[in-house]
Amino acid sequence: MAKPVSIEVWNPSGKYRVISTKPMPGTRWIRLLTDQDCRVEICTLKNTILSVEDILALIGDRCDGVIGQLTEDWGEVLFSALSRAGGRAFSNMAVGYNNVDVEAANKYGVAVGNTPGVLTETTAELAASLSLAAARRIVEADEFMRAGLYDGWLPNLFVGNLLKGQTVGVIGAGRIGSAYARMMVEGFKMNLIYYDLYQATRLEKFVTAYGQFLKANGEQPVTWKRASSMDEVLQEADVISLHPILDKTTYHLINKERLSNMKKEAILINCSRGPVVDEVALVEHLKVNPMFRVGLDVFEDEPHMKPGLADMKNAVVVPHIASASKWTREGMATLAALNVLGKIKGYPVWSNPNNVEPFLNENSPPPAASPSIVNAKAIGLTASKL
Ligand SMILES: NC(=O)c1ccc[n+]([C@@H]2O[C@H](COP(=O)([O-])OP(=O)(O)OC[C@H]3O[C@@H](n4cnc5c(N)ncnc54)[C@H](O)[C@@H]3O)[C@@H](O)[C@H]2O)c1
Ligand SMILES: O=C(O)[C@H](O)CO
């Protein structure tokens, strides 16, 4: 078993042993735990992705709770080890938890926390940034400048797509998908088409009201449509952004056939999870459709890209940084720590995981509740009455 060689300890005499598998931004999350009698151990091993063996060594013989990362494989092996060590609390420092086998956690009565809400706008802003970068060929143009190739303005130099009046398509109009849709509709006066299993009523009302505002001011109103199939979005939209969760229903949602249904000059953005897109099919599509552009924050085999992707001029690629604003990352750390603390202290679960603001206010103590536990019902946790 690999031994963790590097641990930072806070409040060594604390009663509850809480492990964070990575250093996380800010210090509030540490303070919130140490103030409540936790000994906090932060793994400072240099390898970016910890193996199951690394984490087993961290858990050891006694551990009350773990804050983990989306790069880790939280399944039967780790949950049984945590349970043997007396722990019943785990939280991902992420909203997505496709790296967690929730059934296995249920089996051992371990609470699984996640961090919704605090990263909604930050992630949507990155999706909007990638949309603009792809539409206006910003990365290609930047490389061109730095290579010293610019020798004067030309009518045909880096001509891209105008967004105003075009259609933005959103697949998965939940928290992040809806925030992104609002940015694109309001910021660039795009019409909206979306596909989700559920109706996005607030989003529809927003676009309707904004359309009325534009009309009252003598401008072309924006419109919305809820598509009855995903293919309708792919055929009609000029920019398509993917925001569903990753599960069996969304694996390779975008495949060779669906790519061929999209407009030849469409833009595809993925800030959800890599396996939502068949990346091999995407590389082929990019090769034969040079006007098709893509903006990717996530990849099928992270941290790797499929062969050929790095060579594609019509792809903008960034390393899974969509939630990487200081406020959001500190907030994610806080929510993850409070999920673990809440379970350790026997607090109830916050009744509305979409309203996490009360936990993020630095000037007042957080509510005595776990902000978001995804398997609360399955393991019989009660909801907060606050
Ligand atoms: N790139 C990043 O750094 C980053 C940051 C935050 C979140 N994410 C990813 O984004 C996902 C969404 O986050 P969220 O907070 O908006 O979650 P959410 O639950 O609010 O939204 C997900 C939406 O997807 C819809 N959906 C589920 N299955 C679908 C299907 N088969 N077809 C169409 N729609 C479907 C759901 O109905 C829901 O509205 C997370 O699960 C995570 O994987 C990535
Ligand atoms: O699911 C998440 O939260 C992201 O991928 C990291 O912010």
Side-chain angles (χ1 to χ4, degrees):
M1 189 185 288
K3 285 263 176 300
V5 287
S6 195
I7 303 264
E8 184 182 305
V9 180
W10 293 74
N11 192 27
S13 58
K15 178 173 167 194
Y16 309 105
R17 182 168 176 255
V18 174
I19 288 164
S20 174
T21 62
K22 284 283 160 198
M24 300 190 292
T27 51
R28 183 167 177 248
W29 70 274
I30 300 173
R31 215 170 46 249
L32 288 167
L33 289 169
T34 53
D35 283 356
Q36 296 288 325
D37 211 6
C38 295
R39 168 191 166 103
V40 178
E41 293 187 21
I42 304 171
C43 176
T44 52
L45 272 177
K46 288 284 173 259
N47 39 327
T48 304
I49 300 180
L50 295 192
S51 66
V52 167
E53 288 68 32
D54 291 330
I55 300 171
L56 281 175
L58 280 171
I59 291 173
D61 299 334
R62 200 185 71 73
C63 175
D64 296 287
V66 180
I67 302 165
Q69 300 298 326
L70 60 87
T71 47
E72 299 157 5
D73 183 5
W74 278 86
E76 174 77 29
V77 176
L78 289 182
F79 285 121
S80 62
L82 180 57
S83 165
R84 275 196 305 280
R88 295 286 180 275
F90 167 78
S91 183
N92 239 15
M93 184 207 163
V95 65
Y97 54 92
N98 51 287
N99 62 310
V100 180
D101 179 347
V102 179
E103 293 285 306
N106 292 346
K107 184 170 148 191
Y108 295 100
V110 178
V112 173
N114 73 338
T115 65
V118 68
L119 38 64
T120 299
E121 300 292 326
T122 296
T123 305
E125 283 180 13
L126 200 273
S129 310
L130 288 175
S131 306
L132 287 180
R136 300 304 301 273
R137 306 174 62 183
I138 289 173
V139 175
E140 275 179 87
D142 177 279
E143 280 171 3
F144 176 88
M145 281 299 287
R146 289 171 200 274
L149 296 171
Y150 182 50
D151 49 15
W153 189 92
L154 280 173
N156 285 319
L157 192 60
F158 290 111
V159 173
N161 302 1
L162 172 71
L163 297 179
K164 182 171 185 264
Q166 295 223 316
T167 298
V168 61
V170 172
I171 294 173
R175 287 175 290 248
I176 299 168
S178 288
Y180 167 83
R182 286 178 58 154
M183 286 174 195
M184 303 310 284
V185 168
E186 187 180 359
F188 305 106
K189 302 194 177 102
M190 298 184 82
N191 298 310
L192 171 69
I193 180 168
Y194 78 92
Y195 176 72
D196 197 296
L197 310 178
Y198 302 97
Q199 186 174 9
T201 314
R202 284 178 63 188
L203 176 60
E204 292 175 0
K205 281 189 182 153
F206 171 81
V207 183
T208 301
Y210 186 49
Q212 284 163 353
F213 167 83
L214 290 173
K215 197 169 172 196
N217 285 280
E219 291 189 62
Q220 182 71 23
V222 288
T223 61
W224 63 265
K225 175 158 120 183
R226 181 180 177 196
S228 54
S229 72
M230 214 185 82
D231 291 301
E232 207 178 322
V233 177
L234 299 181
Q235 281 156 18
E236 290 185 24
D238 302 288
V239 179
I240 293 155
S241 197
L242 307 172
H243 297 285
I245 56 164
L246 171 62
D247 66 6
K248 285 195 289 267
T249 70
T250 60
Y251 176 80
H252 280 194
L253 202 65
I254 301 296
N255 56 20
K256 185 176 178 198
E257 190 194 338
R258 289 206 159 120
L259 284 163
S260 69
N261 286 339
M262 293 172 68
K263 294 181 181 178
K264 291 275 180 242
E265 298 193 4
I267 290 168
L268 177 68
I269 305 299
N270 189 10
C271 286
S272 60
R273 283 289 182 267
V276 171
V277 176
D278 176 345
E279 207 172 295
V280 169
L282 178 65
V283 172
E284 281 316 302
H285 193 77
L286 287 166
K287 277 183 189 159
V288 293
N289 295 282
M291 300 307 283
F292 183 92
R293 289 199 274 274
V294 69
L296 302 174
D297 179 53
V298 287
F299 305 88
E300 207 172 338
D301 307 321
E302 273 178 47
H304 307 291
M305 286 188 274
K306 292 286 190 198
L309 184 56
D311 302 324
M312 302 312 304
K313 290 269 179 230
N314 43 352
V316 178
V317 288
V318 294
H320 205 149
I321 54 166
S323 67
S325 71
K326 183 175 181 289
W327 182 81
T328 286
R329 286 285 168 87
E330 291 186 2
M332 290 163 74
T334 294
L335 294 180
L338 291 175
N339 282 332
V340 167
L341 180 68
K343 180 66 172 64
I344 289 173
K345 301 288 270 186
Y347 295 158
V349 177
W350 193 238
S351 52
N352 181 2
N354 290 324
N355 173 22
V356 288
E357 288 294 323
F359 296 94
L360 302 171
N361 184 348
E362 307 237 353
N363 301 317
S364 61
S370 290
S372 177
I373 301 293
V374 302
N375 59 345
K377 255 200 197 132
I379 61 167
L381 298 180
T382 53
S384 161
K385 298 210 168 28
L386 294 170

